[in-house]
Each structure stands twice: as structure tokens, then as C-alpha cells.
Amino acid sequence: MLREANVRTGFFEANEFLALIDALPKYLQPMVMFAYYTGWRKREILSLQWKQVDLHEQIIRLNPDQAKNGFERMVALDGELLAILREQFEARKVVQL
């Protein structure tokens, strides 16, 4: 076998992730859950705009200029990730009023 360089470490087990979510303030939980489910970087998540989120088609597009590698990425939304984004979208409506 070839030797691997730059091996990633420090992954969460499911129970550790749930404990982290419970310990976080409510306002941070959706962002951390989004990061966990997508694997996207902090900068990629924070630069995301609602115009890139299509809840009807259940997809998110990350523009090439937002991605570290310069390539567009898409993520399909389902399950808990879709529920998180729908909740955030509804909360956004309330704040805008």
C-alpha cells in the first residue's frame, strides 16, 4: 500500500456530534449541522446566499468562486438537512418583517 500524506483526522462519531449539538447555543446549531451533513468549509457555508438554495428542487449550488478548488458543487437536500433549511428559510421570513 502507498503511504498517505495529509491524512485527515478528528472525525466525530454520531454520539459525539449529538453531544456537541446539544452543547451549542440554538443559533449555531443549524450551521454546524449543515457543515456536518455536507462537509463544506466554514467560508463556503457563510458565503452561501438564499438565491443558491432551491427548496422546491431540493438542491444547493455552490458557485465556483466560493469553492476552494474553483469548481461548482451541488448538494441534494433531503431528510434532516432539508428540514434544517426549511426551518431557517421560515425564520428568515419572520426576521424580515
Side-chain angles (χ1 to χ4, degrees):
M1 294 182 68
L2 296 175
R3 201 171 170 175
E4 292 186 44
N6 193 20
V7 177
R8 295 177 188 248
T9 61
F11 294 98
F12 282 99
E13 296 296 328
N15 63 330
E16 295 170 323
F17 172 69
L18 293 175
L20 171 67
I21 290 299
D22 288 341
L24 287 173
K26 284 278 187 208
Y27 74 93
L28 281 179
Q29 291 175 0
M31 187 180 86
V32 173
M33 291 173 79
F34 185 91
Y36 181 76
Y37 287 120
T38 63
W40 288 10
R41 295 170 178 87
K42 178 182 170 184
R43 184 182 62 83
E44 294 169 341
I45 296 168
L46 294 177
S47 68
L48 194 61
Q49 297 180 14
W50 281 110
K51 64 184 177 185
Q52 295 168 261
V53 179
D54 188 335
L55 293 174
H56 178 70
E57 294 292 326
Q58 300 182 352
I59 195 163
I60 297 176
R61 286 184 173 81
L62 185 68
N63 297 327
D65 61 322
Q66 294 172 290
K68 183 177 177 181
N69 64 7
F71 293 107
E72 179 184 47
R73 281 200 313 255
M74 290 186 288
V75 64
L77 301 173
D78 68 350
E80 193 166 4
L81 185 55
L82 179 58
I84 290 165
L85 285 167
R86 283 187 173 149
E87 184 178 308
Q88 291 302 300
F89 187 78
E90 292 302 316
R92 173 182 166 260
K93 287 180 185 177
V94 172
V95 171
Q96 287 181 342
L97 294 177

Short mmCIF file of all heavy atoms in Angstrom, two decimals, residues 13-61:
data_model
loop_
_atom_site.label_atom_id
_atom_site.label_comp_id
_atom_site.label_asym_id
_atom_site.label_seq_id
_atom_site.Cartn_x
_atom_site.Cartn_y
_atom_site.Cartn_z
N GLU A 13 -17.80 10.86 15.99
CA GLU A 13 -18.73 9.74 15.98
C GLU A 13 -20.12 10.34 16.17
O GLU A 13 -20.25 11.46 16.66
CB GLU A 13 -18.40 8.75 17.09
CG GLU A 13 -17.04 8.08 16.95
CD GLU A 13 -16.94 7.19 15.71
OE1 GLU A 13 -17.97 6.61 15.31
OE2 GLU A 13 -15.84 7.09 15.16
N ALA A 14 -21.15 9.61 15.81
CA ALA A 14 -22.52 10.14 15.87
C ALA A 14 -22.88 10.64 17.27
O ALA A 14 -23.45 11.73 17.41
CB ALA A 14 -23.51 9.08 15.41
N ASN A 15 -22.54 9.88 18.30
CA ASN A 15 -22.88 10.30 19.67
C ASN A 15 -22.12 11.55 20.09
O ASN A 15 -22.65 12.39 20.82
CB ASN A 15 -22.67 9.15 20.66
CG ASN A 15 -21.23 8.71 20.74
OD1 ASN A 15 -20.47 8.79 19.78
ND2 ASN A 15 -20.84 8.21 21.90
N GLU A 16 -20.89 11.71 19.62
CA GLU A 16 -20.10 12.91 19.92
C GLU A 16 -20.69 14.13 19.23
O GLU A 16 -20.76 15.22 19.80
CB GLU A 16 -18.65 12.73 19.48
CG GLU A 16 -17.91 11.65 20.22
CD GLU A 16 -16.57 11.31 19.61
OE1 GLU A 16 -16.45 11.32 18.36
OE2 GLU A 16 -15.63 11.07 20.38
N PHE A 17 -21.14 13.94 18.00
CA PHE A 17 -21.76 15.04 17.26
C PHE A 17 -23.05 15.49 17.96
O PHE A 17 -23.28 16.69 18.13
CB PHE A 17 -22.05 14.61 15.83
CG PHE A 17 -22.84 15.62 15.06
CD1 PHE A 17 -22.30 16.84 14.72
CD2 PHE A 17 -24.15 15.36 14.71
CE1 PHE A 17 -23.03 17.79 14.04
CE2 PHE A 17 -24.90 16.30 14.01
CZ PHE A 17 -24.34 17.51 13.67
N LEU A 18 -23.87 14.56 18.37
CA LEU A 18 -25.12 14.91 19.06
C LEU A 18 -24.85 15.64 20.37
O LEU A 18 -25.55 16.60 20.72
CB LEU A 18 -25.97 13.67 19.30
CG LEU A 18 -26.51 13.00 18.03
CD1 LEU A 18 -27.23 11.70 18.38
CD2 LEU A 18 -27.43 13.95 17.26
N ALA A 19 -23.81 15.24 21.08
CA ALA A 19 -23.44 15.92 22.33
C ALA A 19 -22.98 17.35 22.03
O ALA A 19 -23.30 18.29 22.77
CB ALA A 19 -22.34 15.14 23.05
N LEU A 20 -22.23 17.52 20.95
CA LEU A 20 -21.79 18.86 20.56
C LEU A 20 -22.99 19.74 20.22
O LEU A 20 -23.09 20.88 20.69
CB LEU A 20 -20.85 18.79 19.34
CG LEU A 20 -20.51 20.14 18.71
CD1 LEU A 20 -19.66 20.97 19.65
CD2 LEU A 20 -19.82 19.93 17.38
N ILE A 21 -23.90 19.24 19.42
CA ILE A 21 -25.09 20.00 19.04
C ILE A 21 -25.87 20.43 20.28
O ILE A 21 -26.30 21.58 20.40
CB ILE A 21 -25.98 19.18 18.08
CG1 ILE A 21 -25.31 19.03 16.71
CG2 ILE A 21 -27.36 19.81 17.92
CD1 ILE A 21 -25.03 20.33 16.00
N ASP A 22 -26.05 19.52 21.23
CA ASP A 22 -26.78 19.85 22.45
C ASP A 22 -26.08 20.93 23.27
O ASP A 22 -26.74 21.71 23.96
CB ASP A 22 -26.96 18.60 23.32
CG ASP A 22 -27.98 17.63 22.74
OD1 ASP A 22 -28.80 18.05 21.89
OD2 ASP A 22 -27.96 16.45 23.14
N ALA A 23 -24.75 20.99 23.20
CA ALA A 23 -23.98 21.96 23.98
C ALA A 23 -23.91 23.34 23.31
O ALA A 23 -23.60 24.32 23.98
CB ALA A 23 -22.56 21.43 24.21
N LEU A 24 -24.22 23.40 22.03
CA LEU A 24 -24.14 24.68 21.30
C LEU A 24 -25.35 25.56 21.57
O LEU A 24 -26.45 25.06 21.81
CB LEU A 24 -24.07 24.42 19.79
CG LEU A 24 -22.78 23.86 19.23
CD1 LEU A 24 -22.97 23.51 17.75
CD2 LEU A 24 -21.65 24.85 19.39
N PRO A 25 -25.16 26.88 21.46
CA PRO A 25 -26.33 27.77 21.50
C PRO A 25 -27.23 27.48 20.30
O PRO A 25 -26.75 27.07 19.24
CB PRO A 25 -25.73 29.18 21.40
CG PRO A 25 -24.27 29.04 21.53
CD PRO A 25 -23.91 27.61 21.32
N LYS A 26 -28.52 27.70 20.45
CA LYS A 26 -29.50 27.39 19.39
C LYS A 26 -29.15 28.04 18.05
O LYS A 26 -29.33 27.42 17.01
CB LYS A 26 -30.90 27.85 19.82
CG LYS A 26 -31.54 26.96 20.82
CD LYS A 26 -32.17 25.78 20.13
CE LYS A 26 -32.97 24.97 21.13
NZ LYS A 26 -33.06 23.59 20.78
N TYR A 27 -28.65 29.27 18.06
CA TYR A 27 -28.39 29.97 16.80
C TYR A 27 -27.24 29.35 16.00
O TYR A 27 -27.17 29.54 14.79
CB TYR A 27 -28.14 31.47 17.04
CG TYR A 27 -26.80 31.80 17.66
CD1 TYR A 27 -25.70 32.11 16.87
CD2 TYR A 27 -26.63 31.80 19.04
CE1 TYR A 27 -24.47 32.42 17.42
CE2 TYR A 27 -25.41 32.11 19.61
CZ TYR A 27 -24.33 32.42 18.79
OH TYR A 27 -23.12 32.71 19.34
N LEU A 28 -26.36 28.60 16.65
CA LEU A 28 -25.24 27.96 15.94
C LEU A 28 -25.56 26.55 15.44
O LEU A 28 -24.89 26.04 14.55
CB LEU A 28 -24.01 27.88 16.84
CG LEU A 28 -23.19 29.14 17.01
CD1 LEU A 28 -22.03 28.90 17.96
CD2 LEU A 28 -22.68 29.65 15.68
N GLN A 29 -26.55 25.93 16.03
CA GLN A 29 -26.84 24.54 15.71
C GLN A 29 -27.10 24.29 14.22
O GLN A 29 -26.52 23.35 13.65
CB GLN A 29 -28.00 24.04 16.55
CG GLN A 29 -27.64 23.90 18.01
CD GLN A 29 -28.81 23.51 18.89
OE1 GLN A 29 -29.94 23.33 18.41
NE2 GLN A 29 -28.56 23.36 20.18
N PRO A 30 -27.92 25.11 13.53
CA PRO A 30 -28.16 24.83 12.11
C PRO A 30 -26.89 24.88 11.25
O PRO A 30 -26.70 24.05 10.37
CB PRO A 30 -29.15 25.93 11.69
CG PRO A 30 -29.81 26.35 12.95
CD PRO A 30 -28.77 26.20 14.01
N MET A 31 -26.01 25.85 11.51
CA MET A 31 -24.79 25.96 10.71
C MET A 31 -23.87 24.75 10.94
O MET A 31 -23.32 24.19 9.99
CB MET A 31 -24.03 27.24 11.02
CG MET A 31 -22.84 27.43 10.07
SD MET A 31 -21.90 28.90 10.37
CE MET A 31 -20.77 28.33 11.61
N VAL A 32 -23.74 24.34 12.17
CA VAL A 32 -22.87 23.20 12.48
C VAL A 32 -23.46 21.91 11.90
O VAL A 32 -22.73 21.07 11.36
CB VAL A 32 -22.63 23.09 14.01
CG1 VAL A 32 -21.88 21.82 14.35
CG2 VAL A 32 -21.86 24.31 14.49
N MET A 33 -24.77 21.78 11.96
CA MET A 33 -25.41 20.59 11.37
C MET A 33 -25.24 20.59 9.86
O MET A 33 -24.97 19.55 9.26
CB MET A 33 -26.88 20.55 11.77
CG MET A 33 -27.06 20.26 13.26
SD MET A 33 -28.76 20.38 13.81
CE MET A 33 -29.39 18.81 13.25
N PHE A 34 -25.37 21.76 9.23
CA PHE A 34 -25.16 21.87 7.79
C PHE A 34 -23.73 21.43 7.43
O PHE A 34 -23.52 20.67 6.49
CB PHE A 34 -25.41 23.31 7.32
CG PHE A 34 -25.33 23.48 5.84
CD1 PHE A 34 -26.45 23.35 5.05
CD2 PHE A 34 -24.12 23.78 5.23
CE1 PHE A 34 -26.37 23.50 3.67
CE2 PHE A 34 -24.02 23.94 3.86
CZ PHE A 34 -25.16 23.80 3.08
N ALA A 35 -22.76 21.91 8.19
CA ALA A 35 -21.36 21.55 7.95
C ALA A 35 -21.15 20.04 8.10
O ALA A 35 -20.45 19.41 7.31
CB ALA A 35 -20.44 22.31 8.91
N TYR A 36 -21.76 19.47 9.12
CA TYR A 36 -21.62 18.03 9.38
C TYR A 36 -22.19 17.20 8.22
O TYR A 36 -21.57 16.25 7.76
CB TYR A 36 -22.33 17.69 10.69
CG TYR A 36 -22.25 16.23 11.09
CD1 TYR A 36 -21.09 15.70 11.63
CD2 TYR A 36 -23.36 15.39 10.95
CE1 TYR A 36 -21.02 14.38 12.02
CE2 TYR A 36 -23.29 14.06 11.34
CZ TYR A 36 -22.13 13.56 11.87
OH TYR A 36 -22.06 12.24 12.25
N TYR A 37 -23.37 17.58 7.74
CA TYR A 37 -24.03 16.80 6.70
C TYR A 37 -23.42 17.01 5.31
O TYR A 37 -23.49 16.12 4.47
CB TYR A 37 -25.53 17.12 6.65
CG TYR A 37 -26.28 16.52 7.81
CD1 TYR A 37 -26.99 17.33 8.68
CD2 TYR A 37 -26.30 15.15 8.04
CE1 TYR A 37 -27.69 16.80 9.76
CE2 TYR A 37 -26.99 14.61 9.10
CZ TYR A 37 -27.68 15.43 9.96
OH TYR A 37 -28.36 14.89 11.01
N THR A 38 -22.84 18.18 5.06
CA THR A 38 -22.32 18.46 3.72
C THR A 38 -20.81 18.33 3.61
O THR A 38 -20.29 18.08 2.53
CB THR A 38 -22.69 19.88 3.26
OG1 THR A 38 -22.07 20.83 4.13
CG2 THR A 38 -24.19 20.08 3.22
N GLY A 39 -20.09 18.56 4.70
CA GLY A 39 -18.63 18.55 4.64
C GLY A 39 -18.07 19.84 4.08
O GLY A 39 -16.87 19.94 3.81
N TRP A 40 -18.92 20.84 3.89
CA TRP A 40 -18.45 22.12 3.34
C TRP A 40 -17.64 22.88 4.38
O TRP A 40 -17.82 22.73 5.58
CB TRP A 40 -19.63 22.97 2.88
CG TRP A 40 -20.29 22.48 1.63
CD1 TRP A 40 -20.08 21.29 1.00
CD2 TRP A 40 -21.26 23.17 0.86
NE1 TRP A 40 -20.88 21.20 -0.12
CE2 TRP A 40 -21.62 22.34 -0.22
CE3 TRP A 40 -21.89 24.40 0.99
CZ2 TRP A 40 -22.55 22.72 -1.18
CZ3 TRP A 40 -22.82 24.77 0.03
CH2 TRP A 40 -23.13 23.94 -1.04
N ARG A 41 -16.75 23.73 3.88
CA ARG A 41 -15.91 24.55 4.74
C ARG A 41 -16.71 25.74 5.29
O ARG A 41 -17.69 26.16 4.71
CB ARG A 41 -14.72 25.06 3.94
CG ARG A 41 -13.80 23.96 3.49
CD ARG A 41 -12.77 24.47 2.49
NE ARG A 41 -11.87 23.41 2.10
CZ ARG A 41 -12.11 22.55 1.11
NH1 ARG A 41 -13.20 22.64 0.40
NH2 ARG A 41 -11.25 21.60 0.82
N LYS A 42 -16.21 26.28 6.40
CA LYS A 42 -16.87 27.40 7.06
C LYS A 42 -17.10 28.56 6.09
O LYS A 42 -18.20 29.11 6.02
CB LYS A 42 -16.03 27.86 8.25
CG LYS A 42 -16.58 29.05 8.99
CD LYS A 42 -15.65 29.45 10.11
CE LYS A 42 -16.04 30.76 10.72
NZ LYS A 42 -15.09 31.18 11.76
N ARG A 43 -16.08 28.93 5.34
CA ARG A 43 -16.20 30.06 4.39
C ARG A 43 -17.24 29.77 3.33
O ARG A 43 -18.00 30.66 2.93
CB ARG A 43 -14.84 30.34 3.74
CG ARG A 43 -14.84 31.55 2.81
CD ARG A 43 -13.48 31.78 2.15
NE ARG A 43 -13.07 30.68 1.30
CZ ARG A 43 -13.46 30.51 0.04
NH1 ARG A 43 -14.29 31.35 -0.52
NH2 ARG A 43 -13.03 29.49 -0.66
N GLU A 44 -17.32 28.54 2.87
CA GLU A 44 -18.30 28.16 1.86
C GLU A 44 -19.72 28.29 2.41
O GLU A 44 -20.62 28.78 1.73
CB GLU A 44 -18.04 26.73 1.38
CG GLU A 44 -16.73 26.59 0.65
CD GLU A 44 -16.33 25.15 0.38
OE1 GLU A 44 -16.84 24.23 1.06
OE2 GLU A 44 -15.49 24.94 -0.50
N ILE A 45 -19.90 27.87 3.64
CA ILE A 45 -21.22 27.94 4.26
C ILE A 45 -21.63 29.39 4.51
O ILE A 45 -22.74 29.80 4.19
CB ILE A 45 -21.25 27.14 5.58
CG1 ILE A 45 -21.01 25.66 5.29
CG2 ILE A 45 -22.57 27.36 6.31
CD1 ILE A 45 -20.73 24.83 6.53
N LEU A 46 -20.71 30.17 5.05
CA LEU A 46 -21.03 31.56 5.39
C LEU A 46 -21.24 32.44 4.15
O LEU A 46 -21.92 33.46 4.23
CB LEU A 46 -19.95 32.15 6.29
CG LEU A 46 -19.85 31.52 7.68
CD1 LEU A 46 -18.71 32.14 8.47
CD2 LEU A 46 -21.16 31.64 8.44
N SER A 47 -20.67 32.05 3.02
CA SER A 47 -20.86 32.84 1.80
C SER A 47 -22.11 32.43 1.02
O SER A 47 -22.49 33.09 0.05
CB SER A 47 -19.62 32.73 0.89
OG SER A 47 -19.51 31.42 0.36
N LEU A 48 -22.75 31.38 1.45
CA LEU A 48 -23.95 30.89 0.78
C LEU A 48 -25.09 31.90 0.88
O LEU A 48 -25.29 32.51 1.93
CB LEU A 48 -24.37 29.57 1.42
CG LEU A 48 -25.38 28.71 0.69
CD1 LEU A 48 -24.85 28.29 -0.67
CD2 LEU A 48 -25.71 27.48 1.52
N GLN A 49 -25.80 32.09 -0.22
CA GLN A 49 -26.95 33.01 -0.24
C GLN A 49 -28.21 32.22 -0.58
O GLN A 49 -28.15 31.18 -1.23
CB GLN A 49 -26.72 34.10 -1.28
CG GLN A 49 -25.53 34.97 -0.95
CD GLN A 49 -25.31 36.04 -1.99
OE1 GLN A 49 -26.17 36.31 -2.82
NE2 GLN A 49 -24.15 36.68 -1.94
N TRP A 50 -29.35 32.76 -0.15
CA TRP A 50 -30.61 32.06 -0.38
C TRP A 50 -30.91 31.84 -1.85
O TRP A 50 -31.57 30.88 -2.21
CB TRP A 50 -31.77 32.78 0.32
CG TRP A 50 -31.80 32.47 1.77
CD1 TRP A 50 -31.50 33.31 2.80
CD2 TRP A 50 -32.12 31.21 2.38
NE1 TRP A 50 -31.61 32.65 4.01
CE2 TRP A 50 -32.00 31.36 3.77
CE3 TRP A 50 -32.50 29.98 1.88
CZ2 TRP A 50 -32.25 30.32 4.67
CZ3 TRP A 50 -32.75 28.95 2.77
CH2 TRP A 50 -32.62 29.12 4.14
N LYS A 51 -30.41 32.70 -2.72
CA LYS A 51 -30.66 32.52 -4.16
C LYS A 51 -29.98 31.25 -4.69
O LYS A 51 -30.31 30.78 -5.78
CB LYS A 51 -30.23 33.74 -4.96
CG LYS A 51 -28.76 34.04 -4.92
CD LYS A 51 -28.43 35.32 -5.66
CE LYS A 51 -26.96 35.65 -5.55
NZ LYS A 51 -26.65 36.93 -6.16
N GLN A 52 -29.06 30.68 -3.93
CA GLN A 52 -28.39 29.44 -4.33
C GLN A 52 -29.10 28.20 -3.79
O GLN A 52 -28.74 27.08 -4.13
CB GLN A 52 -26.94 29.45 -3.81
CG GLN A 52 -26.09 30.53 -4.45
CD GLN A 52 -24.79 30.69 -3.70
OE1 GLN A 52 -24.64 31.58 -2.89
NE2 GLN A 52 -23.86 29.79 -3.97
N VAL A 53 -30.10 28.42 -2.96
CA VAL A 53 -30.85 27.32 -2.34
C VAL A 53 -32.19 27.20 -3.06
O VAL A 53 -32.96 28.14 -3.12
CB VAL A 53 -31.09 27.60 -0.84
CG1 VAL A 53 -31.88 26.48 -0.21
CG2 VAL A 53 -29.77 27.81 -0.12
N ASP A 54 -32.45 26.02 -3.60
CA ASP A 54 -33.72 25.76 -4.26
C ASP A 54 -34.45 24.68 -3.45
O ASP A 54 -34.19 23.49 -3.61
CB ASP A 54 -33.49 25.29 -5.70
CG ASP A 54 -34.77 25.19 -6.50
OD1 ASP A 54 -35.85 25.00 -5.88
OD2 ASP A 54 -34.69 25.28 -7.74
N LEU A 55 -35.34 25.15 -2.58
CA LEU A 55 -36.07 24.21 -1.72
C LEU A 55 -37.07 23.39 -2.51
O LEU A 55 -37.36 22.25 -2.14
CB LEU A 55 -36.76 24.95 -0.58
CG LEU A 55 -35.82 25.59 0.44
CD1 LEU A 55 -36.60 26.42 1.45
CD2 LEU A 55 -34.98 24.54 1.14
N HIS A 56 -37.58 23.94 -3.60
CA HIS A 56 -38.53 23.19 -4.43
C HIS A 56 -37.82 22.01 -5.13
O HIS A 56 -38.31 20.88 -5.11
CB HIS A 56 -39.18 24.11 -5.46
CG HIS A 56 -40.12 23.40 -6.38
ND1 HIS A 56 -41.33 22.91 -5.96
CD2 HIS A 56 -40.02 23.08 -7.69
CE1 HIS A 56 -41.94 22.32 -6.97
NE2 HIS A 56 -41.15 22.41 -8.04
N GLU A 57 -36.68 22.29 -5.74
CA GLU A 57 -35.90 21.24 -6.41
C GLU A 57 -35.04 20.45 -5.42
O GLU A 57 -34.41 19.46 -5.79
CB GLU A 57 -35.01 21.84 -7.49
CG GLU A 57 -35.77 22.45 -8.66
CD GLU A 57 -36.49 21.41 -9.50
OE1 GLU A 57 -35.96 20.28 -9.63
OE2 GLU A 57 -37.58 21.71 -9.98
N GLN A 58 -34.95 20.94 -4.20
CA GLN A 58 -34.18 20.32 -3.12
C GLN A 58 -32.70 20.17 -3.47
O GLN A 58 -32.10 19.10 -3.40
CB GLN A 58 -34.79 18.97 -2.72
CG GLN A 58 -36.21 19.11 -2.23
CD GLN A 58 -36.82 17.81 -1.79
OE1 GLN A 58 -36.26 16.73 -1.98
NE2 GLN A 58 -37.99 17.88 -1.20
N ILE A 59 -32.11 21.33 -3.83
CA ILE A 59 -30.69 21.35 -4.19
C ILE A 59 -30.07 22.69 -3.80
O ILE A 59 -30.74 23.71 -3.76
CB ILE A 59 -30.52 21.08 -5.70
CG1 ILE A 59 -29.09 20.72 -6.02
CG2 ILE A 59 -30.99 22.25 -6.53
CD1 ILE A 59 -28.93 20.06 -7.37
N ILE A 60 -28.78 22.65 -3.49
CA ILE A 60 -27.99 23.86 -3.23
C ILE A 60 -26.81 23.85 -4.19
O ILE A 60 -26.16 22.82 -4.39
CB ILE A 60 -27.44 23.90 -1.80
CG1 ILE A 60 -28.58 23.93 -0.79
CG2 ILE A 60 -26.54 25.12 -1.60
CD1 ILE A 60 -28.10 23.88 0.63
N ARG A 61 -26.53 25.01 -4.77
CA ARG A 61 -25.38 25.15 -5.66
C ARG A 61 -24.35 26.07 -5.03
O ARG A 61 -24.68 27.18 -4.63
CB ARG A 61 -25.82 25.74 -7.00
CG ARG A 61 -26.57 24.78 -7.86
CD ARG A 61 -26.89 25.40 -9.23
NE ARG A 61 -27.46 24.41 -10.10
CZ ARG A 61 -28.74 24.03 -10.10
NH1 ARG A 61 -29.56 24.57 -9.23
NH2 ARG A 61 -29.18 23.12 -10.93
#
